[in-house]
Amino acid sequence: MALDSKIPHGEMKDKWEDYKGHVKLVNPANKRKLEVIVIGTGLAGASAAASLGEMGYKVKAFCFQDSPRRAHSIAAQGGINAAKNYQNDGDSVFRLFYDTVKGGDYRAREGNVHRLAEVSAAIIDQCVAQGVPFAREYGGLLSNRSFGGTQVQRTFYAAGQTGQQLLLGAYSALERQVALGTVKMYSRHEMLDVVVIDGKARGVIVRDLVSGKLERHFGHAVLLCSGGYGNVFYLSTNAMGSNVTAAWKAHKRGAYFGNPCFTQIHPTCIPVSGDHQSKLTLMSESLRNDGRIWVPKQKGDTRKASDIPENERDYYLERRYPAFGNLVPRDVASRAAKERCDEGYGVGTTKMAVYLDFKDAIMRYGKTEAGKTGHESADDKTIFELGKKVVEEKYGNLFEMYEKITGENPYEMPMRIYPAVHYTMGGLWVDYELQTTVPGLYALGEANFSDHGANRLGASALMQGLADGYFVIPYTLGNYLADEIRTTAISTDHPAFVETEKAVNDRINKLMSIKGKQSVESFHKRLGKIMWDKCGMARNAKGLQSAINEIRNLRNEFWSDVRVPGDINEFNPELDKAGRVADFLELGELMCMDALNRNESCGGHFREESQTEDGEAKRDDANFSYVAAWESKGEGWEMHKEPLTFEIVKPTQRSYK
Amino acid sequence: MEHYHMNLTLKIWRQKNSNAKGNFETYKVSNISSEMSFLELFDVLNEQLIAEGKEPIAFDHDCREGICGACSMYINGEAHGPWSKNTTCQLHMRAFKDGDTIVVEPWRSQAFPVLKDLVVDRSAFDRIIQAGGYISVNTGNAVDANAIPIDKKDADDAFMAAACIGCGACVATCPNGSAMLFVGAKISQLALLPQGEPERETRALNMIAQMDKEGFGNCTNVYACEAECPKGISVANIARMNREYLSAGLNADTK
């Protein structure tokens, strides 16, 4: 099948307006008859379900958590980008578009990214109208801060809890529709398959996680807003329940998977403390506004940070990248940290960490505060206390979180940080309308692949999730559903529902019947280690080939020796987890195949075979300027290419020097 | 920070499902690192139980960074355990010492029925939000975000109230099983913002009516909710809720 991205013709800046002006509409009476299924209630899912409910569609929304408010968007810390130019610093839709295409290392589609930049401003308006309490200045207007990979201040934030506040806004809009009867909400329900009838997505099979019973639900369209798959690495900043299952089932039913190897390793996370580690915690990128990253100049230096004098510290990001300094994009910052630690300059007990130091920022703010009150001659201690207050207001919750986890006070001593898996740019392949290769099946937010190329800029995930849900899908879904008004609801007794449910049931029974010796968790940990070692921050052909074999063997071992306790028809979190890990064991192989195929370095994907003399990533546009879209074929995959063309932002080797 | 290892005795509430009668079971765990989180202790115990052919303990958890509000354990008689302004997932084992006995129960409240072991049903909170915890603005209706300046103090106070993670510790810790801190926080957030003004009175009346319907108790100024709230939500929000309710009620009578 030839991939058609359906990018509208015309000037870049007119594409979305033209599309909206000509797209098919569904009249209100027909909307009431059309049913839409939404899987996941994070920013993309909650905003989509709420908006479609407001428009009059009959919506069913599903989440595996006990409440839609707990989706992992809630944990996003730093902020959300929007081209408002409130700071008068030269920002514009074009600049946001440009930064995002460049930040993504020229592996995203220009048309999609431009639309994202265009709708960004409306997202902020919508959220403020919902009562989202963004940070404000004393004059009562909204405050902004900077994020990596940009030179303007376009990030809106609510302390270090921006994702929480945006999600609660979308959640409240969703609950309002639940109260109005346009959306029916199913919490503690997990999607386990898509039902395809005559080539179109027509429903889902879900499992009620409390009773263990399978349910069939019909929909004229199915929207997957089920997030990313970073947990394939076992350790990541994702929530424990975040999984690929919904997207993977869709993939097995015909949806192509785009650029699966594009993984974002976030530079500033709290380092691993031991084998017991179950997840990693992010320290927001916004901290790099004020924190300076350094390691000792001397290898294996065991002195305390405070005992290392200024001239014996290597602020390696400021040294290597003077133009962007500590605010280089995430992929660049992560690799630089790994490089220093691999060379033996790491700090802390494991030596796999670098310092993120706030001392200078605290003193700088302290001096400003002292100046405001006419206390220029205050002593260092007073200035420190004044500055500490400013830093506390900006990042207080993050500093508290750090102290709870590590037992160290980051106001007194620098944070220790190390990169960790955070986000997946890859995902289900979608066209301009967010439709997958299965008609009627859509993917929104992190679940799709489309907007961030090979590296996502900070504060852009929230923007994309809400753009897709509030402002894109309400238009593009209508274009499909307008032709479905004659389709009456299909009975869930249809053979396709019966067969799909049987397949799901058989798989669950298989998992329960193995009764092996090893726990689900132990398999997940082993998969994670293979992925991190061989498909992590640096990848090479030899490692990837061996990873593929190891994953295949591990998968066979899983299906012959996993132990899932408990029963099927009850609340059984181990069974839920077993199904998810089984899917990760397939996805991991595909990620390695994709990484092996892409013999170039771009964004978060670093192939050791493809680097410049000074160790920077080297892209290969002549051979790899395409989206790799993988089609599931029984036991294997076939790759299709969607060539990327750049009309506006001409690809150059990225430089943040 | 000095690290150490410990052996512990755990007394944990086990309950097959919402209809079954539950009981405490005692478990021993050894060589627990002070650097582990409290939920990682449960991971270790569950792996141990699975290896022994027993059923692991069900508990709610997801983000493990103190923001999703899923985790909900009543530890040694305190919601979320001994640390203040903290969730169960962020509690670390350095809060305990070798030889300790730790008692873990689910949230206990009439409005939060136990589903299994330490997992409770908190959907009552969602229904309270459905009753009015929102501003009725359809997508696409918003004016420019800077069109309405908001006093920084009001914006900050609204944010402090909005920081609620909906975990239910306030209810679990209250001797009356009151949800007033949760409800007060949402009513306050929206009452402090100009956007919330049009629905201010109906919101207060409807959310409180739903709260009562769900079977939550009344507030008798114990302040345990504030003390145990992982996000430090202030009881001032309950006072504000009462003001909102009173004035809404008076206006409703005269309209």
Side-chain angles (χ1 to χ4, degrees):
Chain A
M1 189 172 89
L3 289 168
D4 179 7
S5 62
K6 294 197 212 148
I7 300 287
H9 297 292
E11 295 269 326
M12 189 62 67
K13 62 179 175 39
D14 301 328
K15 286 180 193 290
W16 180 234
E17 278 307 310
D18 281 355
Y19 177 91
K20 286 196 291 180
H22 298 96
V23 70
K24 288 179 207 153
L25 299 173
V26 180
N27 89 38
N30 284 329
K31 283 197 187 108
R32 285 195 288 274
K33 295 180 207 150
L34 291 165
E35 302 181 38
V36 182
I37 285 171
V38 179
I39 304 298
T41 58
L43 287 183
S47 60
S51 302
L52 296 171
E54 289 161 7
M55 293 165 75
Y57 291 111
K58 278 168 76 173
V59 180
K60 287 180 176 178
F62 299 83
C63 69
F64 69 78
Q65 298 90 345
D66 72 319
S67 163
R69 65 177 292 151
R70 307 209 198 283
H72 195 52
S73 303
I74 200 126
Q77 297 171 352
I80 176 166
N81 288 329
K84 279 286 197 186
N85 194 28
Y86 282 161
Q87 304 306 322
N88 195 28
D89 56 2
D91 199 9
S92 62
V93 167
F94 181 81
R95 291 236 186 229
L96 176 53
F97 156 71
Y98 180 92
D99 287 348
T100 307
V101 173
K102 178 187 170 193
D105 216 356
Y106 308 96
R107 290 293 172 263
R109 242 188 235 144
E110 278 190 326
N112 286 55
V113 177
H114 199 277
R115 175 178 67 192
L116 177 67
E118 282 174 69
V119 303
S120 65
I123 296 171
I124 303 303
D125 300 340
Q126 185 64 30
C127 295
V128 167
Q130 288 170 342
V132 170
F134 283 119
R136 288 175 185 270
E137 306 291 348
Y138 282 101
L141 302 178
L142 293 163
S143 177
N144 289 112
R145 59 186 173 202
S146 329
F147 253 65
T150 67
Q151 290 173 316
V152 294
Q153 289 187 298
R154 64 161 73 101
T155 305
F156 294 80
Y157 64 99
Q161 288 148 258
T162 317
Q164 181 200 23
Q165 294 309 317
L166 295 174
L167 182 62
L168 292 182
Y171 159 78
S172 69
L174 171 66
E175 292 295 2
R176 176 173 157 247
Q177 293 308 308
V178 172
L180 292 170
T182 63
V183 178
K184 189 154 169 44
M185 184 67 225
Y186 296 82
S187 296
R188 294 199 198 268
H189 278 67
E190 179 158 36
M191 188 199 107
L192 293 179
D193 216 338
V194 183
V195 179
V196 179
I197 299 175
D198 298 332
K200 290 177 175 175
R202 291 301 191 191
V204 290
I205 304 297
V206 299
R207 184 162 170 267
D208 176 335
L209 300 181
V210 177
S211 69
K213 299 259 186 329
L214 296 180
E215 297 172 6
R216 306 169 192 175
H217 294 273
F218 164 80
H220 288 88
V222 176
L223 276 48
L224 299 182
C225 312
S226 47
Y229 49 87
N231 271 347
V232 68
F233 291 88
Y234 184 73
L235 286 182
S236 81
T237 64
N238 285 187
M240 301 302 285
S242 298
N243 67 80
V244 76
T245 290
W248 197 250
K249 301 306 185 194
H251 174 57
K252 302 288 270 190
R253 293 273 170 202
Y256 292 6
F257 213 103
N259 298 332
C261 81
F262 285 171
T263 311
Q264 177 156 84
I265 317 274
H266 195 291
T268 54
C269 300
I270 301 178
V272 174
S273 69
D275 290 338
H276 54 263
Q277 196 90 29
S278 61
K279 80 151 274 164
L280 296 167
T281 301
L282 176 75
M283 287 286 107
S284 167
E285 174 165 322
S286 60
L287 293 172
R288 287 198 273 144
N289 271 303
D290 284 312
R292 297 178 70 195
I293 293 178
W294 64 275
V295 291
K297 279 185 180 165
Q298 189 188 316
K299 269 189 198 184
D301 196 329
T302 53
R303 287 176 292 177
K304 283 200 304 192
S306 53
D307 294 340
I308 301 176
E310 198 58 33
N311 61 0
E312 293 180 37
R313 300 176 176 193
D314 177 15
Y315 295 91
Y316 59 87
L317 287 178
E318 297 169 28
R319 167 171 60 79
R320 285 177 67 177
Y321 309 100
F324 281 71
N326 291 296
L327 283 174
V328 290
R330 292 176 174 178
D331 54 335
V332 178
S334 288
R335 274 197 297 279
K338 179 182 190 307
E339 187 273 336
R340 283 292 84 186
C341 293
D342 288 351
E343 290 298 311
Y345 295 93
V347 301
T349 45
T350 60
K351 299 285 169 204
M352 292 305 277
V354 300
Y355 287 128
L356 178 60
D357 197 334
F358 296 90
K359 183 86 188 301
D360 287 355
I362 291 173
M363 296 308 283
R364 187 177 74 241
Y365 287 124
K367 276 180 195 142
T368 312
E369 290 301 301
K372 278 187 199 167
T373 49
H375 293 85
E376 281 90 346
S377 55
D379 59 19
D380 278 2
K381 194 167 173 298
T382 311
I383 289 174
F384 180 85
E385 287 305 321
L386 288 169
K388 193 179 148 185
K389 278 204 189 101
V390 178
V391 169
E392 198 174 345
E393 193 185 345
K394 288 181 140 190
Y395 314 112
N397 69 318
L398 300 172
F399 278 52
E400 261 178 43
M401 204 190 314
Y402 182 86
E403 187 168 1
K404 279 175 193 162
I405 293 172
T406 63
E408 293 171 0
N409 177 351
Y411 294 104
E412 305 288 339
M413 53 210 283
M415 287 183 181
R416 286 172 296 111
I417 50 146
Y418 196 70
V421 174
H422 178 57
Y423 185 90
T424 47
M425 285 74 68
L428 292 175
W429 184 92
V430 291
D431 60 23
Y432 189 70
E433 299 184 310
L434 307 181
Q435 187 164 239
T436 68
T437 47
V438 177
L441 182 65
Y442 292 76
L444 284 66
E446 192 180 350
N448 74 30
F449 87 104
S450 70
D451 293 2
H452 306 295
N455 172 58
R456 179 175 64 74
L457 290 179
S460 284
L462 302 184
M463 172 173 66
Q464 187 222 338
L466 290 180
D468 287 359
Y470 283 135
F471 296 109
V472 178
I473 200 73
Y475 292 91
T476 62
L477 188 62
N479 204 33
Y480 174 77
L481 291 179
D483 294 331
E484 292 291 330
I485 53 173
R486 283 168 204 85
T487 309
T488 48
I490 297 171
S491 161
T492 52
D493 293 330
H494 186 284
F497 275 97
V498 178
E499 282 158 28
T500 311
E501 187 189 274
K502 184 173 181 306
V504 171
N505 203 23
D506 289 350
R507 193 168 190 261
I508 292 174
N509 279 305
K510 175 89 189 1
L511 281 169
M512 295 300 295
S513 67
I514 300 166
K515 299 191 189 304
K517 291 195 184 60
Q518 305 177 63
S519 69
V520 175
E521 196 76 359
S522 66
F523 282 104
H524 195 184
K525 275 191 181 176
R526 284 164 68 192
L527 172 65
K529 181 152 174 37
I530 300 170
M531 295 300 293
W532 179 244
D533 289 346
K534 295 175 175 164
C535 195
M537 262 192 287
R539 303 155 172 188
N540 61 55
K542 192 164 158 272
L544 290 164
Q545 273 152 354
S546 106
I548 291 169
N549 285 327
E550 289 172 54
I551 293 168
R552 284 178 186 158
N553 292 337
L554 188 63
R555 195 163 63 221
N556 290 335
E557 200 180 323
F558 175 90
W559 282 103
S560 58
D561 197 32
V562 73
R563 172 180 293 186
V564 186
D567 295 314
I568 294 174
N569 287 323
E570 65 169 358
F571 192 102
N572 188 348
E574 281 295 314
L575 175 57
D576 310 342
K577 197 161 69 180
R580 295 168 192 166
V581 170
D583 293 330
F584 280 138
L585 281 163
E586 296 179 13
L587 166 76
E589 181 182 347
L590 179 61
M591 288 172 71
C592 292
M593 286 177 60
D594 186 45
L596 185 61
N597 168 71
R598 193 171 282 278
N599 190 14
E600 65 159 347
S601 296
C602 58
H605 170 66
F606 188 73
R607 276 292 294 268
E608 287 169 353
E609 297 92 334
S610 181
Q611 49 184 314
T612 62
E613 277 171 12
D614 51 353
E616 301 290 341
K618 195 167 146 200
R619 230 178 41 240
D620 178 356
D621 289 333
N623 293 304
F624 293 100
S625 187
Y626 62 81
V627 176
W630 297 82
E631 179 184 6
S632 173
K633 292 260 187 191
E635 291 295 295
W637 289 274
E638 183 183 339
M639 192 190 72
H640 304 266
K641 293 180 184 177
E642 181 204 335
L644 290 168
T645 48
F646 294 90
E647 293 171 30
I648 311 281
V649 189
K650 291 295 168 208
T652 53
Q653 203 68 33
R654 267 188 326 167
S655 171
Y656 292 93
K657 298 198 176 204
Chain B
M1 199 76 212
E2 204 172 315
H3 310 311
Y4 55 96
H5 288 79
M6 61 198 113
N7 299 329
L8 301 164
T9 304
L10 304 171
K11 291 190 175 173
I12 298 170
W13 186 260
R14 302 301 309 259
Q15 185 172 334
K16 185 85 181 149
N17 54 50
S18 49
N19 301 318
K21 194 166 174 291
N23 63 286
F24 281 104
E25 292 280 344
T26 304
Y27 304 96
K28 299 267 185 200
V29 286
S30 53
N31 206 29
I32 297 299
S33 160
S34 61
E35 288 192 280
M36 279 185 192
S37 72
F38 197 75
L39 295 184
E40 285 166 351
L41 164 75
F42 271 71
D43 294 342
V44 169
L45 174 59
N46 274 348
E47 287 297 289
Q48 195 175 306
L49 291 174
I50 292 167
E52 291 168 3
K54 296 177 184 155
E55 212 179 322
I57 297 151
F59 59 96
D60 263 326
H61 65 113
D62 202 20
C63 77
R64 294 203 179 189
E65 47 187 273
I67 195 75
C68 78
C71 63
S72 44
M73 292 185 187
Y74 211 72
I75 303 161
N76 286 346
E78 285 186 88
H80 293 303
W83 290 357
S84 69
K85 290 224 275 177
N86 197 60
T87 53
T88 302
C89 65
Q90 295 290 72
L91 176 63
H92 277 65
M93 293 313 293
R94 61 179 183 277
F96 302 94
K97 58 181 194 304
D98 189 34
D100 277 358
T101 296
I102 306 173
V103 182
V104 187
E105 299 167 79
W107 283 174
R108 294 202 190 276
S109 159
Q110 192 190 331
F112 290 164
V114 173
L115 292 176
K116 184 173 185 175
D117 298 339
L118 303 173
V119 177
V120 298
D121 178 355
R122 287 169 285 190
S123 54
F125 273 9
D126 289 331
R127 290 188 292 274
I128 292 173
I129 297 297
Q130 284 159 24
Y134 46 74
I135 287 167
S136 296
V137 52
N138 284 359
T139 304
N141 277 302
V143 295
D144 184 88
N146 261 349
I148 311 167
I150 300 175
D151 179 79
K152 182 166 161 54
K153 178 156 188 329
D154 286 342
D156 288 350
D157 287 350
F159 170 75
M160 298 291 277
C164 168
I165 58 174
C167 65
C170 47
V171 175
T173 200
C174 175
N176 310 321
S178 168
M180 286 204 180
L181 194 67
F182 170 79
V183 181
K186 185 50 73 180
I187 288 178
S188 286
Q189 177 203 342
L190 300 178
L192 282 160
L193 299 170
Q195 292 89 334
E197 192 61 33
E199 296 164 290
R200 189 168 176 172
E201 294 181 348
T202 50
R203 177 182 304 116
L205 295 172
N206 293 342
M207 287 181 75
I208 289 170
Q210 187 64 34
M211 174 181 85
D212 291 343
K213 201 172 136 193
E214 297 289 348
F216 292 104
N218 220 319
C219 173
T220 51
N221 298 318
V222 180
Y223 294 0
C225 53
E226 182 184 87
E228 294 295 338
C229 174
K231 297 295 145 181
I233 307 287
S234 162
V235 290
N237 291 297
I238 299 182
R240 191 180 290 106
M241 175 181 81
N242 287 334
R243 272 202 310 277
E244 294 291 319
Y245 184 70
L246 198 62
S247 76
L250 287 172
N251 286 343
D253 289 343
T254 54
K255 264 176 195 167

